[in-house]
Amino acid sequence: MAVFTQGVIFEGVDTSDPNCWTLDAYVKRGGYEALKRILQQGISQDDVIAEVKGSSLRGRGGAGFPTGLKWSFMPRNFPGDKYLVCNTDEGEPGTFKDRDILRFNPHSLIEGMIIAGYAMGVKRAYNYIHGEIFEDYVLFERALDEARAAGFLGENILGTSFTFDLFAHHGYGAYICGEETALLESLEGKKGQPRFKPPFPASFGLYGKPTTINNTESFASVPFIIRDGGQKFLEAGKPNNGGTKLFSVSGHVNRPGNYEIPLGTPFSVLLEMAGGMKNGKKLKAVIPGGSSAPVLPGDIMMDCTMDYDSISKAGSMLGSGAVIVMNEDICMVKALERLAYFYHEESCGQCTPCREGTGWLYRVIHRIEHGQGRPDDLDLLTSVGNNMAGRTICALADAAVFPVRSFTKHFRHEFEYHIEHKKCLVEHKWC
Amino acid sequence: MLEIEIDGKKLTVPTGSTVMDAAHSNGTYIPHFCYHKKLSIAANCRMCLVEVEKAPKPLPACATPVTDGMKVHTHSDTAVKAQQGVMEFLLINHPLDCPICDQGGECQLQDLAVGYGGVSSRYQEEKRAVPAKEMGPLVSAAEMSRCIHCTRCVRFTEEIGGYQEIGMAHRGEHSQILPFLNKTVDSEISGNVIDLCPVGALTSKPFRYSARPWELSRRKTVSPHDGLGANMIVQVKHNRVMRALPLENEAINECWLADRDRFSYEALSSDARLTRPMVKQGGQWIETEWQAALEYIVKGLRGVTRDHGADAIGFLATPHSTVEELYLAKKLAGALGVESTDYRTRHADFSRDAAQQGALWLGSSIVELAAANALLVVGSVLRKEQPLLAARLRQSVKKGMALSVISPIQENLLSHVHARLTVSPVAMLDSLKAVLKAVLARKADASSTLDVVSITPCAQAEAIADSLVNNDNAVIALGNLAQHSPHFGDLLTLANELARLTGGRVAVLGEAANSVGAELTFKPSGKGANAGQMFSVPKKAYVLLNTELDCDSHNPHRALKAVEQAEMVVAMSAFRSDAALQYADVMLPIAPFTETSGAFVNMEGLLQAFNGVVKPLGDARPAWKVLRVLGNMLGAPGFEFESAEQVRAEWLAGLGGELKSKLNNGLSSLTLATPSSASGLVRVGEVPMYQADALCRRAPSLQATADARAPRASAHSSVLAAAGVQSGQEVSLKQEGAAIRIAIDADDSLPLGVVRLAAAHPATVALGGMFNSIELAQG
């Protein structure tokens, strides 16, 4: 899969070059200029944060929280340790953008984290990398070695008094460790289970110290924002939806891959970029933001632009930007069964509604798919889902319920047909 | 203070309170499973969801901090729907077979399901089955399918027990509560997870399926083991004690029990109970009637008095006896003219008896001890000697107490230790002197009459001195090893001097349930012999109250020799023992704590009275009644008691003032003995936790625990090398001419010059003093 870019992170990155990830290649692309400018011109922490705020950069991990605002929550003058953590625990089905950043442009992340460390007065940072992309973890360690050797990490960076170090840590593939407090638990060496909030990581994070956690793509966007200005980043997108964003397009398209495009690009344009529908089949449905985002029927989707506000207005979420495209050969019952199975397997088991509810949802959908559905099963799904969503420590239960609600809302007739006729309305073909 | 409205009722609560705290203070019940006031907040069961105005979704009361002006509805439609939703989830995989569950009738899930559960289940799939787990002889984890994953047990072992022995493995629906693979739960306070478990997943292994909770009557009593005096409920069915549970008392045991408090009841109905009076005639034991046995005793004691004088009789008792028993035994001795009475059979140093200003005690309440800013524990294996006190101090350490230890045994306290000196028993003196010298160096105008000139404090001693000097509320506590050591007097002297210089207190951690009561009552009077003298200069007759000299003596070799040569030995005991059958001439079956009324004075000087909860087994009788009748038969005046309360009242009146005023750890003069420079190896003989008293020794489940394993000797590897012995090898250990063969292990945490070998165990009772010299030889 290729990376197609009109954006800031992959600008100038030749992904076909096996050395495109190296420090040399990055510096040639203008890398570490932003860091140098900050340190050499002595740009203040406040100014850095203001620049990020001005860019309207919103968290690229899925929740879309304004990054500059999050940075300003960090108690900069807190005495003692505080931490910066990058969340590269990219486990959301459909999402594969952060992995390409590690593969092709890891120094953009490293530079972004150093700048963030400078802005928040943090000396120690971690990058928590998903356990199932081990090769990319190894590559990232090599990039860290390069950065250390070049004096961008460690003590007295670029001859200033600024000290910052960054360490990589790989997880073991648990989806829940992408939830930021579960990630912190796992990073501390404990079982990855979300913590009850409050307290929030900004005041009680890693090892109980103030901690800021951002997504890989968010950090990787920072060098551009500092180098070329927040305004320029903002202008690449549209108001309240600053910049360009990586979309991982998968499913029934001719050219699946990562597409870095301005926020606000129409979905139809993105679909066109991805080569259009495979074999000229009809577009049936799209999950626009990773498996946890509600599914949208194809016709609704064709009217959307790819930004936080438009997708939200249509009843879904931009999430992590994983666009799962489904054609007319998909049985929505079978598709939902697979999603429900995922959440059933990935629930951490801490909270009662999620531990018990994810399995229940899966079993009912499994039953419908296998011709044993009962007339009141759709009501049961709704009721069980209502008892789960918003009743747990983290949002995994909500993530498990959203697909159930949206699939049964937009494609109810398929479920009803399945229950009544004990078979698929659509003869299911995976591809 | 914050203002909150719960179900329309306004109240103010301190800042930092949770909604659950506020509801409790208001008497509003919010259903919950994972929440427990003594444990950290998990917020995972979700049963306590309540409606908070302006919040978009129901919030867990246990974890939601109160904000000013918050309005909470615990029984609104939204709240109840959320609670019912959670209950449905809890029940879908929980077996609904309460009639065959051991927890049935006292199950939180069962109770709450009545209020929040549905009439029938909407879950038609197969239920989850979870394999049984093995957690050891006390806690049954045979029915883990019942577990609702509240993690109370996990949090208890980690937070209160100090070491996470139970964890939740796997994820989601596959989550399982389990101990470490192939490991049991060995905490000395593990039984509390049975109370904490809200369902029938963790149950009491000894009690399981022996009774239904509604068949049991609840009776209050006091634990008869360590000096803490934990408050308990014993539950009784058909005149038999079926189990023991904690009775909450925040000032003493909080809501916990140590495992020996909880499981020692098994001994009460053991086959080893003595149920008939017995007299030895011509070397044969014959069961007899009370009258005949008592007449035999009266005649015998009179004979000894006549032939050898009252000085030839000695009375010995355990400090596990009630104050009434001790008082009447003392009074009976007095009626015979006997002055030699003592409870300190495990002690070796009586040199400060004359200098003592009062009865030894904790020096403060338990709560005050836990609030100390600095605590130096001298000569103790704290977790084994005082399991619940150790757990309480663990919380104090978390709040900032500087806990230091000077002891011959390096115990893992499962909490942060500020400074530690692991030294031989005699070197504890030099260690304390070093601390004393370091304290003097920190106090410009202070001086001491004690000689510390030749001492150079080490870094650890300096650190201990820092903690004692820099904290205004410092305590120097003496544990069992200190009290049993031949240097106890000097240790007490040094502790007093340290307390004087630092403005701190001395604490003596009472070994037994009634150590303080015995200290007040049963020490020798006049020129009477103490326990040590009663064995070194044998008496012609001994009256033994509850004590089993093989296991309860400092030097069993010498003690058994002394009683075996006596003309008459009267053993009053709840149990028969092989040793007693050897040395005694009369055995009287007396009632253990559940079968008599009485009182104990705990380590903090609190008199706690209790009633008998069942009838005495067989012909056993409360010891106070037996002693009363013996007094009558001797024709002594003042034995006309009709109740234990009358005895207690007379005892209290005879103290000559408030009980608390008689407690004092001070000494009239502070002087140190010149320690004899002993050469060769010295034994460190601690009393194992489940060998401490007659009840523990006969409780089968306790005896099956890891802590009750047959003792092995241990010594520093260089000690083994000097003796030419390999670790793990069987060796010969010799004291006073007696030898045993036992395996020895290398343990480099031990100081040089010592062999650690537990006392009070059948495997080692042939040997001599707990802290005397010992010879180590191959084979």
Side-chain angles (χ1 to χ4, degrees), chain A residues 324-340:
Chain A
I324 302 170
V325 178
M326 295 184 256
N327 72 14
E328 57 196 318
D329 290 339
I330 288 289
C331 167
M332 297 311 269
V333 181
K334 188 154 184 79
L336 181 62
E337 182 202 13
R338 189 62 192 78
L339 286 177

Side-chain angles (χ1 to χ4, degrees), chain A residues 174 191 196 344-353 355-356 359-360 363 367 374 383 387 390-393, chain B residues 43-46 57-58 60 63 82 88-90 93 122-125 128 148-149 168 170-174:
Chain A
K191 190 179 179 192
F196 184 82
H344 165 47
E345 277 302 311
E346 294 293 344
S347 165
C348 83
Q350 193 178 191
C351 304
T352 306
R355 178 182 67 240
E356 308 294 344
W360 196 354
R363 289 188 179 92
R367 195 167 70 201
R374 300 172 194 145
S383 161
N387 284 340
R391 306 279 168 87
T392 51
I393 288 175
Chain B
N44 61 27
C45 79
R46 316 306 285 181
K57 52 189 186 181
E88 180 179 36
F89 285 130
L90 285 170
N93 275 307
R122 297 194 291 170
Y123 186 75
Q124 317 241 322
E125 274 58 44
R128 172 171 65 224
I148 57 167
H149 307 90
M168 189 161 93
H170 309 301
R171 289 187 306 180
E173 253 188 30
H174 315 294

